[in-house]
Amino acid sequence: MHAMQYELTLPADYDMGVIRDRVARVGRLLDDWEGLGLKAYLMRERGVRGSPVNQYAPFYLWNTVEGMNSFLWGGGFQRLGDDFGRPSVRQWTGLAYEEGGGGSRARFAVRHRRPIPDGGLLADVVAEAVSEAERLAKEDGALLAAGAVDTSRWELVHFSLWEHDTPKADGDVFEVLHLSAPGRERLPRGRQW
């Protein structure tokens, strides 16, 4: 599993209806993308649920590198760059993935990034990340939880989807505008090594 995200931080007075309309128009285009586990079309608005910014920030969990590369180099990503400029794309290697017991409609997502401190055993750090994904997935209303690591920055990310607006997770809260999940059932469960 590979995680990926890019963020488009928009002006404070930006009409976020433009983003809602865009996702309503193009969101379905990845509903059957080969190699994609899921794409959560995420948005947050300045002043809503503690957000300091207006932002469009889709989050992906990929089953295959080929699917991810096909999206990045084969045209799917090009439209976004043409419309907004090419954003930096963050990538993380999967550590854990767990399905939750919540319903089927993702309404909110939480992304929590934190640096891995120097010193200590990396095995302990990633074991803790796996445990956190398990904990999040067991919370009431959780649909799924994933943990991943960026070894170029030594950063952990936890990502979770929720059916309600009171997620029991720390981090940035996003509204889910659409969820494309053609390969969600094929995302490997549990620890990724």
Side-chain angles (χ1 to χ4, degrees):
M1 178 183 75
H2 304 276
M4 183 179 95
Q5 186 178 37
Y6 47 86
E7 300 171 332
L8 299 174
T9 301
L10 302 161
D13 62 350
Y14 191 84
D15 177 5
M16 295 304 283
V18 172
I19 299 299
R20 290 180 189 284
D21 291 345
R22 177 187 182 84
V23 172
R25 192 176 65 254
V26 302
R28 62 179 170 65
L29 296 177
L30 268 68
D31 286 353
D32 61 358
W33 195 275
E34 186 64 34
L36 177 63
L38 66 88
K39 175 182 180 178
Y41 294 77
L42 306 180
M43 180 185 89
R44 58 186 181 149
E45 293 183 78
R46 184 175 183 211
V48 178
R49 289 179 196 82
S51 177
V53 295
N54 285 329
Q55 196 171 64
Y56 175 56
F59 196 96
Y60 302 74
L61 294 176
W62 293 97
N63 281 316
T64 69
V65 172
E66 294 84 3
M68 180 175 65
N69 287 343
S70 176
F71 173 76
L72 289 170
W73 319 133
F77 184 66
Q78 186 67 46
R79 282 186 295 274
L80 178 88
D82 291 346
D83 292 344
F84 293 98
R86 186 183 320 138
S88 176
V89 179
R90 301 287 309 274
Q91 296 182 30
W92 299 268
T93 301
L95 294 174
Y97 176 80
E98 298 291 344
E99 283 285 322
S104 60
R105 183 167 179 261
R107 294 183 56 227
F108 293 92
V110 178
R111 181 208 56 208
H112 180 72
R113 296 185 306 214
R114 70 176 177 91
I116 298 173
D118 289 335
L121 294 175
L122 289 175
D124 292 343
V125 172
V126 296
E128 180 185 316
V130 169
S131 295
E132 178 64 2
E134 292 169 351
R135 182 195 72 76
L136 287 169
K138 291 176 184 174
E139 291 289 346
D140 180 49
L143 299 174
L144 61 86
V149 63
D150 176 346
T151 55
S152 71
R153 296 178 188 233
W154 291 108
E155 175 187 72
L156 289 173
V157 64
H158 278 96
F159 176 76
S160 51
L161 289 178
W162 301 82
E163 66 181 357
H164 56 69
D165 64 354
T166 56
K168 298 220 172 36
D170 293 328
D172 298 319
V173 178
F174 296 86
E175 181 181 355
V176 178
L177 301 178
H178 180 75
L179 184 67
S180 293
R184 179 175 169 184
E185 73 283 349
R186 291 187 300 278
L187 286 166
R189 305 298 194 275
R191 193 176 91 157
Q192 304 287 308
W193 73 96

